[in-house]
Amino acid sequence: MAAAGAEAVVAEDEEKRLPEGDPESGGDSEDEGDSDSSGDGEDEEKENEAEIQRLEEQLSINAFDYNCHLDLIKLLRQEGELVKLRRARQKMSELFPLTEEIWLDWLKDEIKMASESSEREKVYELFERAVKDYICPEIWLEYAQYSIGGIGQEGGIERVRSIFERALTAVGLHVTKGTALWEAYREFENAILETAQPAPGSVPSPEQQQMLCTQLEKIHTLFRRQLGIPLLDMETSYAEYEEWSEDPIPETTIKNYKKALQQLEKCKPYEEALLGAETPKLAEYQAYIDFEMKAGDPARIQLIYERALAENCLVPDLWARYNQYLDRQLKVKELVLSAHDRAVRNCPWTVGLWIRYLLAMERHRVDHSSISEMFEKALNAGFIQATDYVEIWQAYLDYLRRRVDFTQDSSKELEELRSAFARAVEYLKQEVEERFSESGDPSCTIMQNWARVEARLCNNMQKARELWDNIMTKGNAKYANMWLEYYNLERAHGDTQHCRKALHRAVQCTSDYPEHVCEVLLTLERIEGTLEDWDAAVQKTENRLARVNEQRAKAAEKEAALAKLEEEKAEQRKQARAEKKASKKAKKARSGEKRKADDDDEGEWGQEEEAEQPSKRHKGDGLLEEDMEVEMGLFGRSGPEKPDRPANQKEKATTSRKDIPKVLHDSSKDNVTVFVSNLSYNMAEPEVKLKELFESCGEVAEIRPVFSNKGTFRGYCYVEFKEEKSARQALGLDRQAVEGRPMFVSPCVDKNKHPDFKVFRYSTTLEKHKLFISGLPFSCTKEELEDVCKAHGNVKDIRLVTNRAGKPKGLAYVEYENEAQASQAVLKMDGLTVKEHVIKVMISNPPLRKLPDKAEAGRASQFAVPRQVYGARGKGRTQLSMVPRALQRQGNPVAKAENGMVQNSAAASSAPPEEPKKMSNADFAKMLLKNYFPAGIPSALVFSGSAMSTALKS
């Protein structure tokens, strides 16, 4: 009777679970007929078929494309292709552990189609696979409820109880979801109790009485077990037990219940933190794990680890910590190996998990064929670094070495070990080097270990010498440590003759530390050599060290020459920039002279320059210097000259140039001030624009934009806040786009007092959670790139690299939440086509930022102009040289002051200057005007050489 009632309930539940429009339910047959007759439905069906075919082809190329598997399963389920759907799910489950949602959908689809007992057994097998992937309360509850439908079969009730007991062992301690399983188990036992009750008015037989007592005791036991576990809503369960039980609750049960309540109060803060936290909740889970580790209950520790992994299955470090706990504490073979297997299936790119798995299999005496099969899977896992393959090979070779009995001269295990060593060397040379352009083992550590095994364990020094000879031919002969490793091996297991031979070769070949090798050779001959050996060693080492010192001296000279050449080039570039500035100033001066002449204003050359002389950089104590060079060049934007403005506009411009106040900065307010640069020169009313932008960070005390003497905005300013925290918050606006350009916001620091301060620093370490993407189309937006990247994990930040003008460079940095997601994205995105551009994706490993060499700076000071000649901060931007370039290019400068510039008199005195060619005033004027007006001399500036000379003197 109980079996029949339970089957009816299950059948009713299954019928309710059938989706609308399912062919078996017949609910939407008319709608289906309408959709089949419509052209839109046929088109959609064809599109889905084409998409299914495309996804299948893509999986045939890359079977590890996780998202492709998901899309294919979704489409096949939508189309009702049950056979293909089952096959697709099967393939995916062989490669990856499936999530709770995928398993539940699969199980519900299979339950609908299972009508016969043989088909039900297949569903049971599917449930068994599902509960092994993750410890999931929902799947266990679904499993138990499905098993109730088979209680009419032989042994059905015992099977249900067995499944419920396994479910309670797995997830019965789950604080928030465990109660549902306990209640379902009690409801099942209550249903059995109801069927065992005698008919009203009848007297139960002794067998029935015994059955009733047994069933009542089972329900009592379930209540007592549940009340001894800290679960949410324990008070309701306790009240239900009081109401159900005819006898008083035992004191032991009450005591356990109160103890569980106290434990629940300790767990509640961690459960509440998990409820309020956002994915991935790693910090909250780690705090919970630490709490349970202190309590020391293995079952609860295992459960909280499993809960964390169910939500963070792609975090290798979490798997590693869990497996380490199982290896060192629980040591249960089935549990340990299952966890290791799930770890490598979730994070196959992490070599450390594979190595732990291999060690665990060896530790638990798994047969050799299974370990070898697991190792082959590891080789096909797709590691992201060449060194990972070296590590997994070394772990496997260590395992094979431990299997060998070296007391025997020859054995099957020894031959397998040698064969594996040879295969490892060949694999790194062929497979790994082809993929990564490097073997991952430049020091030949695998061959070194092979040589040590042959020498120490097999007493085969001949083979060891052959291996070391091979190692040296792979570019290692220049390293002293490699020769000393070989020497130590010969010293321990070889003979003196080979030791001497190795050291003589080392002296000849070593280039990094030859002195060390020479010292070892002399020590050997001092202890064991004859006089002839000693003399030969001394002569060889002296000759070698002499050559080395000579080579080092030449290298030092070459380096000094290169440094000097670089300094000369830098000086030439500096001089060229100064000449461009001078030509620009001279051009402005001439145009100003012409305007003044038109207005009948008196003036000579130099006055316009004096008007421009108020420095654009503020010097001295308490003042800050900031230079801005934009893409347009050092002298601002270049473009077609605008027509002359009316006279009144000229007067206004002249007035504005004279009335603009200098922008001085008080260094005592650096802590509340930020420096803003790379702004558009065309920004209208920068104070208003920037105040609106920076008010979101705090109250703005003052905004001081910097203008040129003509009144044009120079693209940078100082923003002073009332509070220091507002200035720190304003730094977060760095690189924000303002009028199409990235605005630079940096701390306000006096570089006179802090010369080593750098605003923007490059990361100098490998960033495993961040990707570097190149080859992007310039039209690619941040949103479009995010759509591509978020399919492989949770994207925390995307930064498109631009130049100072805000134009994209086709590069981007994408930051993921963890290393696992970034590694998965590299495997799936590298070589992807985005808008007809093939992109390259790699783990971000920024190069070290090149800093100026202090030694070179010291050498440069010998050739440069003395610092004090130009003042505290060197040559100013307005200190122009009026000497023509033709004269400046002469080899020996003349010690003469020109516009405040004094040439190096020491350099002049060291070598007598060459007599310059004498030129008339007319020749000098032609040369000067040719340099400043290569396109031709304006008619307004044609005058005599004497006038030119007079102008220069003024």
Side-chain angles (χ1 to χ4, degrees):
M1 183 183 296
E7 285 179 342
V9 171
V10 171
E12 184 179 352
D13 291 342
E14 291 181 2
E15 188 174 354
K16 290 178 180 178
R17 284 197 294 266
L18 288 172
E20 294 182 8
D22 189 90
E24 296 183 13
S25 66
D28 290 339
S29 59
E30 294 181 2
D31 293 341
E32 287 180 1
D34 293 339
S35 64
D36 290 337
S37 62
S38 64
D40 294 340
E42 292 178 357
D43 293 341
E44 184 179 356
E45 185 176 353
K46 290 180 180 179
E47 290 178 1
N48 290 341
E49 289 178 358
E51 181 66 12
I52 289 172
Q53 186 176 359
R54 185 191 68 80
L55 292 172
E56 289 176 342
E57 291 176 356
Q58 187 171 342
L59 287 175
S60 65
I61 299 173
N62 180 16
F64 289 91
D65 192 333
Y66 187 88
N67 292 320
C68 191
H69 280 285
L70 292 180
D71 294 339
L72 179 60
I73 290 173
K74 182 179 179 181
L75 268 178
L76 291 174
R77 194 165 191 254
Q78 179 180 338
E79 291 296 310
E81 296 281 352
L82 300 180
V83 177
K84 290 185 177 180
L85 176 61
R86 182 180 292 168
R87 190 185 307 122
R89 284 167 167 166
Q90 182 67 27
K91 288 182 178 179
M92 185 177 182
S93 66
E94 291 172 357
L95 297 173
F96 306 100
L98 305 186
T99 62
E100 172 189 332
E101 293 78 9
I102 298 175
W103 271 121
L104 289 175
D105 289 340
W106 189 358
L107 290 166
K108 290 177 181 178
D109 290 343
E110 294 292 342
I111 288 172
K112 296 171 196 171
M113 297 183 290
S115 56
E116 301 179 0
S117 58
S118 60
E119 294 175 341
R120 289 185 65 86
E121 288 300 322
K122 292 181 180 179
V123 177
Y124 282 124
E125 294 175 2
L126 201 60
F127 268 114
E128 288 295 332
R129 290 173 55 191
V131 296
K132 290 179 181 178
D133 272 359
Y134 299 105
I135 292 182
C136 177
E138 287 80 2
I139 293 179
W140 274 111
L141 185 59
E142 189 76 19
Y143 189 10
Q145 290 176 344
Y146 178 73
S147 66
I148 295 175
I151 60 176
Q153 301 175 356
E154 183 179 355
I157 293 179
E158 293 305 320
R159 186 172 195 171
V160 174
R161 284 176 175 156
S162 173
I163 294 173
F164 266 119
E165 288 295 336
R166 290 172 58 202
L168 292 180
T169 302
V171 293
L173 298 178
H174 199 297
V175 175
T176 58
K177 298 181 180 180
T179 304
L181 269 170
W182 288 99
E183 291 179 351
Y185 195 2
R186 282 191 286 105
E187 287 178 5
F188 169 72
E189 295 294 352
N190 273 318
I192 300 296
L193 178 63
E194 291 295 327
T195 60
Q197 293 286 351
S202 62
V203 179
S205 63
E207 292 80 6
Q208 289 178 329
Q209 191 68 32
Q210 180 66 29
M211 184 184 296
L212 285 172
C213 293
T214 303
Q215 192 63 27
L216 284 171
E217 185 59 30
K218 287 181 179 179
I219 299 175
H220 276 288
T221 303
L222 283 175
F223 266 119
R224 293 166 187 168
R225 288 168 61 190
Q226 180 182 356
L227 293 175
I229 300 172
L231 301 171
L232 289 183
D233 204 18
M234 291 183 64
E235 296 84 354
T236 303
S237 300
Y238 184 80
E240 184 180 348
Y241 186 29
E242 282 184 320
E243 182 180 354
W244 179 85
S245 177
E246 298 177 354
D247 301 325
I249 299 177
E251 287 296 327
T252 306
T253 304
I254 296 175
K255 183 179 179 180
N256 292 335
Y257 167 69
K258 292 181 178 179
K259 185 178 179 181
L261 275 178
Q262 294 176 355
Q263 181 70 17
L264 178 63
E265 290 301 318
K266 296 179 182 178
C267 295
K268 273 186 177 179
Y270 299 99
E271 293 291 345
E272 291 171 357
L274 288 175
L275 289 174
E278 297 181 356
T279 305
K281 310 179 184 179
L282 283 173
E284 291 75 15
Y285 272 119
Q286 188 58 51
Y288 206 164
I289 290 170
D290 294 339
F291 165 73
E292 294 292 359
M293 291 286 279
K294 291 179 181 178
D297 186 344
R300 298 191 63 82
I301 295 172
Q302 180 192 357
L303 179 62
I304 191 60
Y305 263 121
E306 291 287 353
R307 288 178 59 184
L309 288 168
E311 296 190 40
N312 300 278
C313 59
L314 298 179
V315 181
D317 290 341
L318 188 58
W319 280 109
R321 291 195 295 270
Y322 181 39
N323 290 335
Q324 180 178 333
Y325 170 76
L326 295 177
D327 287 334
R328 297 181 179 179
Q329 302 297 328
L330 295 188
K331 302 180 182 179
V332 180
K333 178 179 178 180
E334 292 75 13
L335 186 61
V336 169
L337 296 182
S338 172
H340 279 289
D341 181 67
R342 290 186 291 137
V344 298
R345 290 176 65 202
N346 276 285
C347 306
W349 60 86
T350 308
V351 68
L353 297 179
W354 287 100
I355 294 175
R356 289 176 181 271
Y357 192 9
L358 190 150
L359 293 172
M361 294 179 78
E362 182 184 3
R363 196 176 293 120
H364 290 282
R365 313 282 184 187
V366 177
D367 61 276
H368 175 60
S369 60
S370 298
I371 296 179
S372 298
E373 183 181 351
M374 185 277 295
F375 170 70
E376 296 298 332
K377 290 182 180 178
L379 290 181
N380 297 322
F383 299 131
I384 60 176
Q385 295 180 11
T387 53
D388 292 344
Y389 288 93
V390 179
E391 293 180 26
I392 191 64
W393 266 112
Q394 192 58 64
Y396 183 59
L397 292 168
D398 292 343
Y399 156 71
L400 293 178
R401 195 263 310 160
R402 290 189 286 265
R403 295 180 68 240
V404 179
D405 182 7
F406 290 100
T407 59
Q408 302 178 10
D409 293 337
S410 179
S411 64
K412 178 182 177 181
E413 289 79 8
L414 178 58
E415 294 304 318
E416 185 177 0
L417 174 61
R418 284 172 171 162
S419 175
F421 267 118
R423 184 190 168 199
V425 173
E426 189 66 21
Y427 186 90
L428 294 177
K429 180 180 179 182
Q430 299 293 336
E431 303 289 337
V432 178
E433 194 165 350
E434 180 180 349
R435 178 181 173 189
F436 295 97
S437 300
E438 59 167 327
S439 67
D441 190 18
S443 300
C444 302
T445 54
I446 288 181
M447 293 183 69
Q448 288 187 46
N449 291 331
W450 188 3
R452 294 187 187 103
V453 169
E454 293 289 352
R456 296 175 184 175
L457 301 177
C458 301
N459 298 320
N460 188 353
M461 275 304 299
Q462 183 61 33
K463 180 65 176 177
R465 291 178 185 124
E466 292 177 5
L467 291 169
W468 269 104
D469 187 65
N470 196 0
I471 291 171
M472 292 305 181
T473 59
K474 294 183 179 295
N476 293 301
K478 58 185 177 181
Y479 301 117
N481 67 314
M482 300 297 290
W483 283 108
L484 295 179
E485 282 286 340
Y486 176 38
Y487 167 74
N488 291 331
L489 191 67
E490 283 285 359
R491 194 74 173 155
H493 306 286
D495 52 55
T496 304
Q497 180 181 356
H498 284 91
C499 288
R500 181 177 291 112
K501 184 179 179 180
L503 288 176
H504 276 274
R505 289 178 61 194
V507 170
Q508 190 68 27
C509 300
T510 301
S511 60
D512 55 350
Y513 299 106
E515 297 89 350
H516 193 183
V517 176
C518 292
E519 182 182 352
V520 175
L521 175 59
L522 293 175
T523 302
L524 173 67
E525 301 300 357
R526 179 177 287 113
I527 296 173
E528 300 185 17
T530 64
L531 178 60
E532 291 77 9
D533 295 332
W534 171 262
D535 290 340
V538 170
Q539 182 178 359
K540 194 175 189 71
T541 55
E542 286 180 352
N543 292 338
R544 175 59 178 159
L545 292 179
R547 289 197 304 270
V548 168
N549 291 332
E550 183 180 353
Q551 292 171 358
R552 289 175 178 172
K554 290 181 178 179
E557 291 176 2
K558 184 177 180 180
E559 182 181 356
L562 290 174
K564 182 178 179 181
L565 181 62
E566 187 64 29
E567 291 293 335
E568 291 175 354
K569 290 181 179 179
E571 188 64 29
Q572 290 175 3
R573 289 193 295 267
K574 182 178 179 182
Q575 194 172 5
R577 288 196 296 267
E579 290 172 358
K580 290 181 181 179
K581 291 179 183 179
S583 64
K584 186 74 174 180
K585 288 292 183 180
K587 188 174 181 180
K588 290 180 180 179
R590 294 187 195 92
S591 62
E593 187 72 23
K594 181 180 178 181
R595 288 196 300 269
K596 290 181 180 180
D598 291 341
D599 295 337
D600 294 328
D601 293 336
E602 295 183 357
E604 293 182 338
W605 280 23
Q607 291 182 357
E608 181 69 21
E609 185 178 357
E610 290 176 4
E612 297 285 331
Q613 281 294 332
S615 176
K616 299 178 183 179
R617 296 186 287 181
H618 307 293
K619 309 173 184 177
D621 295 334
L623 301 180
L624 181 68
E625 174 188 22
E626 294 290 348
D627 289 343
M628 279 298 301
E629 297 182 8
V630 297
E631 263 193 339
M632 304 300 184
L634 288 167
F635 302 103
R637 290 179 296 278
S638 59
E641 295 184 0
K642 297 181 180 179
D644 292 341
R645 295 174 294 178
N648 58 349
Q649 292 186 12
K650 294 180 183 179
E651 294 175 1
K652 291 180 180 179
T654 305
T655 304
S656 65
R657 286 197 299 270
K658 294 180 180 179
D659 295 341
I660 292 176
K662 294 183 179 179
V663 179
L664 300 180
H665 173 67
D666 185 0
S667 62
S668 64
K669 296 183 179 181
D670 281 350
N671 60 327
V672 294
T673 307
V674 295
F675 179 70
V676 183
S677 58
N678 203 44
L679 298 169
S680 173
Y681 282 17
N682 298 324
M683 180 180 289
E685 298 183 350
E687 300 99 323
V688 179
K689 177 77 175 180
L690 295 176
K691 187 171 184 179
E692 295 175 356
L693 186 62
F694 283 96
E695 277 182 339
S696 61
C697 303
E699 185 177 356
V700 178
E702 183 183 8
I703 294 181
R704 300 189 297 277
V706 179
F707 296 90
S708 67
N709 288 332
K710 286 189 174 184
T712 58
F713 181 47
R714 294 190 63 196
Y716 61 96
C717 67
Y718 302 95
V719 179
E720 182 182 328
F721 292 91
K722 292 287 187 180
E723 298 179 351
E724 183 176 351
K725 65 178 183 180
S726 301
R728 289 197 300 267
Q729 187 176 351
L731 297 177
L733 299 178
D734 183 45
R735 306 284 173 161
Q736 180 171 328
V738 176
E739 295 189 1
R741 295 173 63 88
M743 173 181 67
F744 297 163
V745 183
S746 57
C748 210
V749 177
D750 189 344
K751 293 183 180 177
N752 275 337
K753 299 178 181 178
H754 306 280
D756 296 331
F757 176 78
K758 302 293 181 185
V759 176
F760 305 108
R761 297 185 181 272
Y762 291 99
S763 175
T764 59
T765 58
L766 179 68
E767 300 173 287
K768 294 187 177 181
H769 66 291
K770 187 181 293 185
L771 303 184
F772 173 70
I773 303 178
S774 60
L776 289 168
F778 291 164
S779 60
C780 182
T781 64
K782 183 176 180 180
E783 291 74 18
E784 291 173 341
L785 183 58
E786 185 176 5
D787 291 338
V788 175
C789 297
K790 70 182 181 182
H792 311 295
N794 295 325
V795 178
K796 291 181 64 177
D797 182 49
I798 292 181
R799 179 166 64 89
L800 295 176
V801 182
T802 62
N803 57 21
R804 297 178 71 91
K807 302 293 180 62
K809 301 174 70 175
L811 309 174
Y813 289 92
V814 180
E815 182 179 356
Y816 282 93
E817 285 190 342
N818 52 55
E819 169 191 347
Q821 295 178 3
S823 303
Q824 191 75 0
V826 169
L827 295 175
K828 296 178 180 178
M829 291 174 56
D830 188 30
L832 190 69
T833 301
V834 177
K835 292 185 177 180
E836 300 182 356
H837 285 68
V838 178
I839 63 173
K840 293 183 179 180
V841 184
M842 62 192 74
I843 298 295
S844 176
N845 190 10
L848 293 173
R849 190 173 186 182
K850 295 182 180 179
L851 299 176
D853 191 350
K854 294 182 179 180
E856 292 184 2
R859 289 194 297 269
S861 63
Q862 301 174 7
F863 307 101
V865 179
R867 185 178 182 86
Q868 62 271 19
V869 174
Y870 298 127
R873 309 192 83 154
K875 177 181 176 182
R877 293 180 69 174
T878 57
Q879 292 175 301
L880 302 179
S881 173
M882 297 300 292
V883 181
R885 281 191 287 268
L887 298 181
Q888 288 183 347
R889 283 195 288 267
Q890 291 183 3
N892 297 314
V894 181
K896 181 179 179 180
E898 292 286 353
N899 289 333
M901 294 178 60
V902 181
Q903 304 297 329
N904 194 341
S905 59
S909 62
S910 61
E914 182 181 351
E915 182 72 14
K917 182 180 179 180
K918 295 182 179 180
M919 293 184 292
S920 65
N921 287 341
D923 294 334
F924 184 85
K926 290 179 181 179
M927 180 180 296
L928 179 64
L929 294 175
K930 182 178 180 181
N931 278 283
Y932 283 108
F933 302 98
I937 305 172
S939 58
L941 297 180
V942 177
F943 47 87
S944 66
S946 59
M948 171 72 76
S949 177
T950 304
L952 286 174
K953 290 178 181 178
S954 65

